[in-house]
């Protein structure tokens, strides 16, 4: 929505500066997208008098001019044929930028004569293609007047963004009303004069009963013996300022009223209309030649305006070319109608026509404007085109519904945290156009016809707060739970933050994807109940709540691969869904790797990703989230979308699974159209047990790292065990041999072959002992070693390898 500052002042009596108005517009929800001020761009160009113009001594086509500006006299060498002594032109001093020729002026010397500045033409200023000579102004023009003022370009243009619910601000008057309520001035009364017609219209409005819901009312009147032609300069300048091309007085009037008051109009050349005009539904495949000179095929859901022969307009969207007004029009018929916004939106989308009328009707126009809109249009037509006017003809009725909403004055404080005095609330609503009354402790507000978006008490609260100022809402520190020190994150928040950090350090890139997938993808990853199917999805590919984050990450990886980035390392921390209950939403840390684990390099060869990469990622995430990783066991019961022989789960037992990892199943990769190998992990953050807090430790922070001053001791052991024994079982058993001294157990070798029986394998481990109160003696180390051997043999059934 564009308008000029002076246009706004036609409706708003204000002394506020442009800067203050622009700032207030954004604060009350009418976001300013831009301000264009031609006066700033042209401020260097001012009127000047040529006090002498003589022939250049060394050039036949040049003249040496002495130019008097408001800054003194300058010599200019000019090649314009109309440069003469005594003329008033426009002077561009040295250093100014001339937009039409993309040149910044410098002092120069032409054929031996100094030239300091320039007398400019309209083309050189970018104002027109005229270049027969320099700008020649009337002789009584004062010297030193800015060019922008001479050309009427000193009126700043303001552009604001309008939300779909604020159709009332698609007219300058609606914007002025909001600014008046916000204290930026006083709204001027709208001058409406009812003009009685002097004869009966020869064209009548009719409406099929079937279209009553889509066109509740239409009115118009006949104008005869008028004179159409160019509209006055002031009207053309305003239309040009907002990007509209002036066409003729009649057409310009309709455009002006649409932007000035938010009231779309249409005019027909009455001599081209055969019979009466009827609002009806189109016939399937009926054709219509629109003003844009395009022919459209219509459908039976579209409202059209038809005479006795054919369609003359697509109701509320665009008029027809065959009945359009031209400079030869002497008799005109006016249309002022009300259209249902949904009907207009459907028609507009099916036809693909974009017009200012459609834009406004889709967002709802003032229902009462179908009444006063006739008066406004009539007065402008008579003022600019003359002629005689008929009595009004109409069909249907204007909706007379009035909504009264009760407002409790304390609701602004309750809902928004800011106190607004009752009298101030009443004043704001009154200036916005609400009819306000008081009853007991309530404010009764009758909603104006131009605000169909105001439906509830909360809407009134929003209106009052918007005008009072969102910036006046006091800043309030959020209260933390009483069991947490002020400013401390909750456990769940810390887990998410720590997990993200750990996975980033592992070299994975965080992704943020939709929580929706296609039903086919959901089936690949375990499926979901019908309750997780979206009733009105934004896309057929996003019709189901995701049972896993993996399909959305796989889709991202597939897109990257298609674009030449086959090596992917992605993760996301977010929800996945099992059912539509609160417990059915699980907080997950999910990631995947595809392609190679490193780039090709002479020093370190690359290798394909494998399940141990995914396991390492899962372990890192679990450790960062505070899981007891030293107690985790590995099981082979991974979900079906993992490879059955190259995957596993990590848990504190078969029924307490904390993570799954491994290669993804080939059928999943084929369905997702991505080449393997792809490995992935899923960490169930909600399943990680709460940390145990000893009695009296609630609220305490984690103790500082306790380092021992004594040297640790490493001892290596090798055990021969059955081939089916897991290394993790051996490690867990050895860790339990002496929990006070053993701080780490690492597997460093797995061997099968010569010296080891068939069906057996050798597992070699390093055990780290860390004394805390003294240096260990050989006897104490030997005692711990015997415990390690005994515990390992008991747990695995193996023997110490000789």
């Amino acid at each position: 929505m564009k308008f000029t500052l002076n246009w706004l002042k036609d409706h708003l009596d204000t002394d506020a500066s442009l800067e203050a108005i622009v700032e207030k517009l954004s604060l009350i929800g009418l976001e300013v997208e831009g301000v264009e001020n031609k006066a700033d761009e042209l401020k260097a160009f001012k009127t000047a008098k040529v006090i002498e113009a003589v022939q250049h001594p060394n050039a036949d086509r040049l003249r040496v001019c002495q130019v008097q500006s408001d800054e003194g006299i300058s010599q200019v060498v000019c090649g314009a044929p109309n440069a003469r002594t005594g003329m008033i032109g426009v002077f561009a001093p040295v250093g100014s930028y001339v937009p039409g020729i993309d040149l910044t002026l410098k002092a120069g010397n032409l054929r031996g004569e100094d030239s300091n500045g320039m007398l400019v033409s309209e083309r050189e200023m970018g104002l027109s293609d005229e270049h027969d000579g320099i700008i020649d102004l009337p002789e009584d023009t004062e010297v030193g007047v800015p060019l922008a003022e001479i050309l009427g370009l000193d009126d700043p243009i303001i552009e604001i963004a309008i939300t779909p619910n604020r159709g009332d601000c698609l007219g300058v008057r609606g914007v002025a009303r909001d600014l008046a309520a916000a204290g930026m001035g006083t709204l001027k009364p709208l001058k409406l004069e009812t003009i009685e017609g002097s004869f009966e219209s020869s064209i009548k409005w009719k409406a099929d009963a079937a279209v009553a819901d889509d066109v509740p009312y239409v009115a118009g009147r006949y104008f005869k013996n008028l004179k159409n032609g160019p509209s006055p300069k002031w009207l053309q300048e305003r239309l040009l300022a907002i990007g509209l091309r002036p066409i003729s007085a009649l057409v310009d009037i309709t455009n002006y009223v649409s932007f000035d008051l938010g009231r779309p109009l249409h005019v027909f050349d009455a001599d081209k209309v055969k019979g009466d005009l009827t609002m009806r539904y189109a016939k399937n495949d009926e054709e219509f030649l629109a003003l844009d000179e395009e022919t459209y095929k219509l459908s039976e859901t579209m409202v059209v305006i038809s005479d006795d022969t054919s369609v003359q307009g697509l109701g509320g969207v665009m008029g027809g070319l065959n009945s359009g007004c031209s400079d030869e029009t002497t008799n005109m018929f006016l249309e002022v109608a009300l259209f249902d916004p949904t009907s207009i939106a459907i028609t507009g989308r099916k036809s693909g026509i974009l017009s200012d009328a459609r834009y406004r009707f889709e967002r709802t126009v003032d229902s009462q404007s179908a009444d006063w809109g006739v008066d406004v249009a009539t007065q402008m037509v008579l003022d600019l085109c003359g002629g005689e006017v008929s009595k009004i003809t109409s069909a249907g009725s204007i909706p007379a519904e009035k909504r009264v909403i009760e407002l409790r004055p304390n609701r602004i404080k309750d809902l928004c945290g800011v106190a607004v005095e009752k009298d101030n609330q009443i004043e704001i609503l009154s200036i916005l156009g609400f009819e306000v009354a008081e009853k007991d402790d309530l404010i009764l507000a009758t909603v104006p016809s131009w605000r169909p978006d105001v439906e509830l008490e909360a809407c009134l609260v929003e209106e009052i707060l918007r005008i009072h100022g969102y910036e006046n809402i006091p800043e309030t520190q959020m209260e933390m739970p009483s069991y947490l020190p002020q400013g401390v994150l909750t456990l769940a928040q810390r887990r998410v933050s720590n997990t993200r950090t750990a996975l980033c350090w592992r070299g994975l890139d965080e992704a943020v994807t939709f929580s929706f997938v296609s039903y086919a993808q959901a089936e690949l990853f375990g499926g979901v109940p019908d309750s997780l199917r979206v009733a009105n999805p934004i896309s057929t590919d996003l019709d189901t709540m995701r049972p896993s984050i993996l399909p959305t990450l796989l889709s991202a990886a597939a897109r990257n691969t298609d674009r030449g980035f086959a090596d992917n390392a992605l993760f996301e921390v977010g929800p996945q869904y099992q059912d539509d209950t609160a417990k059915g939403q699980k907080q997950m840390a999910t990631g995947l790797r595809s392609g190679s684990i490193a780039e090709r390099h002479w020093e370190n060869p690359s290798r394909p990703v494998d399940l141990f990469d995914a396991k390492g990622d899962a372990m890192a995430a679990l450790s960062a989230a505070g899981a007891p990783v030293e107690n985790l066991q590995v099981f082979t019961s991974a979900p079906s979308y993992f490879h059955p022989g190259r995957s596993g789960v990590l848990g504190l037992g078969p029924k307490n699974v904390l993570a799954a990892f491994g290669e993804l199943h080939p059928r999943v990769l084929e369905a997702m159209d991505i080449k393997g190998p792809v490995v992935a992990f899923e960490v169930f953050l909600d399943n990680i047990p709460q940390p145990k807090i000893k009695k009296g430790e609630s609220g305490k922070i984690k103790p500082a790292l306790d380092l021992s001053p004594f040297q640790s001791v490493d001892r290596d052991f090798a055990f021969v065990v059955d081939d089916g024994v897991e290394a993790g079982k051996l490690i867990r058993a050895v860790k339990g041999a002496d929990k006070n001294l053993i701080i780490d157990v690492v597997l460093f070798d797995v061997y099968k072959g010569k010296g080891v029986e068939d069906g057996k394998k050798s597992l070699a481990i390093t055990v780290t002992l860390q004394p805390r109160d003294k240096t260990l003696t050989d006897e104490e180390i030997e005692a711990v070693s015997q415990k390690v051997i005994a515990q390992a043999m008991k747990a695995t059934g193996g023997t110490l390898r000789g």
Side-chain angles (χ1 to χ4, degrees), residues 400-416:
E401 178 186 0
K402 284 193 174 183
R403 297 190 309 279
V404 179
I405 302 175
E406 295 182 352
L407 172 64
R408 292 163 287 177
N410 62 346
R411 290 300 286 164
I412 290 86
K413 174 69 173 177
D414 294 343
L415 294 178
C416 307

Side-chain angles (χ1 to χ4, degrees), residues 579-728:
D579 54 54
D580 59 348
T581 66
K583 292 184 178 179
Q585 177 176 318
K586 304 294 184 182
Q587 186 76 351
M588 304 291 296
T590 304
L592 63 79
R593 294 179 185 268
S594 67
S596 299
I597 200 64
E599 295 182 355
R600 296 173 62 185
H601 194 269
W602 65 267
E603 186 178 21
N604 294 307
S606 63
R607 62 171 178 80
V609 295
D610 58 34
L611 77 161
F612 294 107
D613 296 317
K615 182 183 178 183
D617 293 335
M619 291 291 288
L622 287 168
S623 178
V629 291
E630 65 279 358
N631 298 329
L632 292 178
Q633 303 176 48
V634 180
F635 304 95
T636 57
S637 53
S640 60
Y641 43 86
F642 283 99
H643 192 296
R646 302 172 187 172
S647 61
V649 296
L650 298 167
L652 298 174
K655 295 183 179 181
N656 190 5
V657 174
L658 303 188
F661 67 91
E663 287 189 22
L664 291 179
H665 202 288
R667 64 176 171 80
V668 171
L669 300 183
E670 182 180 2
M672 297 294 294
D673 194 24
I674 183 172
K675 295 181 179 180
V678 178
V679 297
F681 66 89
E682 295 179 307
V683 175
F684 300 84
L685 296 176
D686 296 333
N687 291 357
I688 298 174
Q690 298 281 344
K692 293 181 179 180
I693 300 177
K694 296 180 181 180
K695 186 176 180 180
E697 289 187 353
S698 178
K700 288 186 178 181
I701 61 174
K702 186 175 180 179
L705 181 64
D706 182 18
L707 296 176
S708 173
F710 301 99
Q711 182 70 37
S712 61
V713 178
D714 291 340
R715 286 291 183 266
D716 295 342
F717 301 87
F719 295 93
V720 178
V721 298
D722 290 338
D723 198 18
V725 174
E726 298 174 356

Side-chain angles (χ1 to χ4, degrees), residues 331-401:
N331 299 312
M332 179 269 287
F333 187 73
L334 173 70
E335 171 209 330
V336 185
L338 289 178
F339 294 96
D340 176 69
T342 303
S343 172
I344 295 295
I346 293 173
T347 299
R349 291 173 187 175
K350 285 185 176 180
S351 65
I353 298 175
L354 298 174
S355 66
D356 291 325
R358 171 193 167 185
Y359 188 78
R360 282 159 175 76
F361 280 123
E362 280 183 339
R363 286 153 179 79
T364 307
V365 301
D366 179 2
S367 61
Q368 303 306 307
S369 67
D371 183 10
W372 55 254
V374 176
D375 295 328
V376 170
T378 298
Q379 187 64 62
M380 287 197 70
V381 171
L382 294 178
D383 289 346
L384 301 185
C385 303
E388 301 174 62
V389 62
S390 76
K391 296 177 181 179
I392 295 175
T393 174
S394 64
S397 59
I398 297 176
E401 178 186 0

Side-chain angles (χ1 to χ4, degrees), residues 28 244 287 419 577 587 644 749 780:
I28 61 177
L244 294 181
E287 293 189 345
Y577 306 88
Q587 186 76 351
D749 184 54
E780 290 170 331

Side-chain angles (χ1 to χ4, degrees), residues 717 719 730-742 765 767 769 779-795 800:
F717 301 87
F719 295 93
L730 172 64
I731 292 172
R732 287 192 300 274
V734 171
K735 282 184 177 180
D738 191 325
K739 295 181 178 180
N740 292 325
L741 286 177
I742 298 175
I765 59 175
V767 179
L769 309 179
E779 291 78 11
E780 290 170 331
I781 295 173
E782 182 61 27
V784 175
S785 298
Q786 292 303 317
K787 290 181 182 180
V788 167
I789 295 170
Q791 192 78 2
M793 294 173 63
K794 179 180 179 182
L800 187 66

Side-chain angles (χ1 to χ4, degrees), residues 14 47 69 79 94 115 118 160 169 180 183 222-223 244 248 278 295 484 494 513 567 635 737 762 783 787 796:
T14 180
T47 58
S69 67
V94 171
S115 184
M118 185 177 187
I160 60 176
C169 285
Y222 193 103
F223 295 79
L244 294 181
S248 67
T278 302
T295 299
L484 288 176
R494 290 201 306 273
T513 63
D567 300 339
F635 304 95
S762 171
K787 290 181 182 180
T796 64

